[in-house]
Amino acid sequence: MEFTGENILEFVKRFPDDRSYLAYLSGLKRTNGFVCTKCRHTKFTIRKKNFARDCNRCHHIESPTDGTIFHGLRFGQRKAFGIMFEMTATTKGISASQAARRYGISRTTAWAFMQRVRSAMQSSKKYPIVGDVQVDEFVLGGKETLKQGRSKDSKKKKIVGAVELSEKGKVKRVYFNKIDDYSSKSLSCIFEKHISIDAHVLTNKWTGYAPLSKRYKIEQKYSEKGGSMKQMHTVIHQLKSWLRSTYSWVHQDHMEKYLDEFSFRINRSIFKQTIFHTLTARMLMAKPLTYQMIKISI
Ligand SMILES: [Zn+2]
């Protein structure tokens, strides 16, 4: 039942109308089990007309979108799925302005929905990195220089990133966090969220990493203009060029959401066949957000 692949013609064929989207969501919801929100009963009947679930005890009706990020969408599932498909099946995603033009909705509506999608793309943090990992800090925005370093420019967004390497030394997974400064406390967030204490971590010689070696296996090497952490620097370059080409300007408060989107796509690049399905399933699990919550919570 799950949709696989990156082919837009297949996608359009699979989802010809709003009913097909509801059927898909309903099927996904069924795999998650059912507990009636009114009486906690666990048995239900599915209505053929709109795939709503009818509680067998109290007859409370639940639509496939109830209690999910899809609830209350004013522009319909069809456009929502289209935007999600482009955010996952493509290599670079799309900007809110592009989505607005392609789906005939306002830029604000597109932006708000895409922020909801990004919140579902956030890492579950269930699978910390255990093997080889490179950690480095860098800045985004402002005038770019080749210097990777600890800029004190407050307009620039400070980021710490971690790249997990495969056995062949290829990029396997990436994670980023926005940080306020380069103190050990700030740098520790990426370790706590994404890196196992058993991982072998390579960093540069910055003193901020030294106190973390009490808990983590850290090796500090001179950066040699990025040469000692080639994979990390390739990823930073990709991130910067993606943000520059797709998003002309990203507000400081929203940066983490864009970092989540970038990581979600890279971390699933070998699972590209199922990336759309994975995202849809995650969006069903995520709690609904209002526009105000999006603006405030990030
Ligand atoms: Zn019930």
Side-chain angles (χ1 to χ4, degrees), residues 34-43 54-60:
F34 172 78
V35 179
C36 173
T37 51
K38 285 275 182 315
C39 75
R40 319 300 297 163
H41 193 58
T42 53
K43 295 212 162 48
D54 186 343
C55 169
N56 284 1
R57 188 195 280 158
C58 75
H59 293 289
H60 172 64

Side-chain angles (χ1 to χ4, degrees), residues 228-244:
S228 60
M229 288 197 269
K230 258 198 189 110
Q231 296 89 337
M232 177 87 230
H233 285 257
T234 305
V235 167
I236 295 174
H237 179 76
Q238 281 172 353
L239 173 67
K240 287 183 175 181
S241 87
W242 174 64
L243 285 169
R244 248 197 316 264

Side-chain angles (χ1 to χ4, degrees), residues 135-139 148-150 158-161 179 182 187 203-204 206 209 229 232-233 236:
V135 173
D136 203 3
E137 75 288 349
F138 57 98
V139 290
Q148 303 284 332
R150 291 159 289 276
K158 300 174 189 70
I159 312 287
V160 59
I179 46 175
Y182 301 113
L187 294 169
T203 71
N204 58 43
W206 171 240
Y209 292 108
M229 288 197 269
M232 177 87 230
H233 285 257
I236 295 174

Side-chain angles (χ1 to χ4, degrees), residues 39-53:
C39 75
R40 319 300 297 163
H41 193 58
T42 53
K43 295 212 162 48
F44 61 93
T45 310
I46 291 196
R47 293 189 163 187
K48 281 202 182 109
K49 194 176 131 220
N50 55 5
F51 298 93
R53 298 202 281 197

Side-chain angles (χ1 to χ4, degrees), residues 180-196:
D180 294 329
D181 53 49
Y182 301 113
S183 64
S184 286
K185 192 170 177 285
S186 295
L187 294 169
S188 70
C189 66
I190 196 124
F191 285 80
E192 281 158 25
K193 284 182 189 167
H194 300 294
I195 303 173
S196 158

Side-chain angles (χ1 to χ4, degrees), residues 20 39 54 123 138 151 155 179 241 245 252 259 279 287:
S20 55
C39 75
D54 186 343
S123 159
F138 57 98
S151 163
K155 281 185 195 138
I179 46 175
S241 87
S245 63
Q252 177 96 3
L259 298 175
L279 176 67
K287 291 274 168 279

